[in-house]
Amino acid sequence: MIEDVAPRQVWEALMSNPSAILCDVRTQAEWNFVGLPDLVQTGKHPVLIQWQMLPAMEVNPKFLDALASAQVTPEHHVYFICRSGARSMAAAQAAKAAGFAHVYNVKDGFEGPLDPRGHRGHVAGWKAEGLPWRQG
């Protein structure tokens, strides 16, 4: 089972644990137009690897290879984040099945669920928690 971790707890782990990594599995378009977690204060940067790829949103067949290319090892504590937590959970499950011992899902992702007006980023998730982020 993959643990859902609240965004603020993920931030604290990134600040305090040298082996903690944030892997953003959204699409290139989301990184560019929605924004990215800003990890400058942690001395780290997010590892950007698409779990699914546009236009068909097919699962990236080279996802695990890309993790290795980014020098993410099974010993790291890897926190996976996506828009709302679904793709990141699938990515975390794939990493765990590949032998990564410490994988987590960022609860509610970067933007969280829709608010009553149909907008994301206000109810829960990285942005709603007020954690650092920047426009792509």
Side-chain angles (χ1 to χ4, degrees), residues 3 5 19 26 36 41 59 71 74 77 85 87 91-92 100 115 124 127:
E3 181 182 354
V5 180
S19 72
R26 294 174 297 148
L36 291 165
Q41 292 177 10
V59 172
Q71 299 179 345
H77 290 250
R87 285 175 286 171
F100 285 75
D115 68 15
K127 287 172 80 174

Side-chain angles (χ1 to χ4, degrees), residues 7 34-35 109-112 120-122 124-131 133 135:
V34 178
F110 188 66
E111 295 182 87
R120 294 185 189 275
H122 305 287
W126 189 275
K127 287 172 80 174
E129 286 285 325
L131 294 169
W133 67 280
Q135 206 65 43

Side-chain angles (χ1 to χ4, degrees), residues 9-74:
Q9 289 176 284
V10 173
W11 177 257
E12 291 166 7
L14 292 166
M15 290 289 285
S16 64
N17 182 349
S19 72
I21 291 175
L22 182 68
C23 183
D24 191 327
V25 301
R26 294 174 297 148
T27 64
Q28 180 79 42
E30 289 170 298
W31 301 326
N32 291 337
F33 299 114
V34 178
L36 291 165
D38 185 348
L39 305 184
V40 170
Q41 292 177 10
T42 70
K44 301 173 182 179
H45 56 84
V47 173
L48 306 178
I49 305 171
Q50 297 179 97
W51 172 248
Q52 292 175 298
M53 300 179 309
L54 295 170
M57 293 303 280
E58 296 170 356
V59 172
N60 179 355
K62 297 184 179 184
F63 180 79
L64 293 172
D65 293 337
L67 270 179
S69 293
Q71 299 179 345
V72 179
T73 68

Side-chain angles (χ1 to χ4, degrees), residues 82-122:
C82 68
R83 180 183 66 191
S84 60
R87 285 175 286 171
S88 52
M89 180 60 82
Q93 290 168 337
K96 185 160 187 90
F100 285 75
H102 311 286
V103 295
Y104 311 92
N105 186 50
V106 179
K107 184 178 179 175
D108 296 313
F110 188 66
E111 295 182 87
L114 296 171
D115 68 15
R117 296 183 330 166
H119 300 138
R120 294 185 189 275
H122 305 287

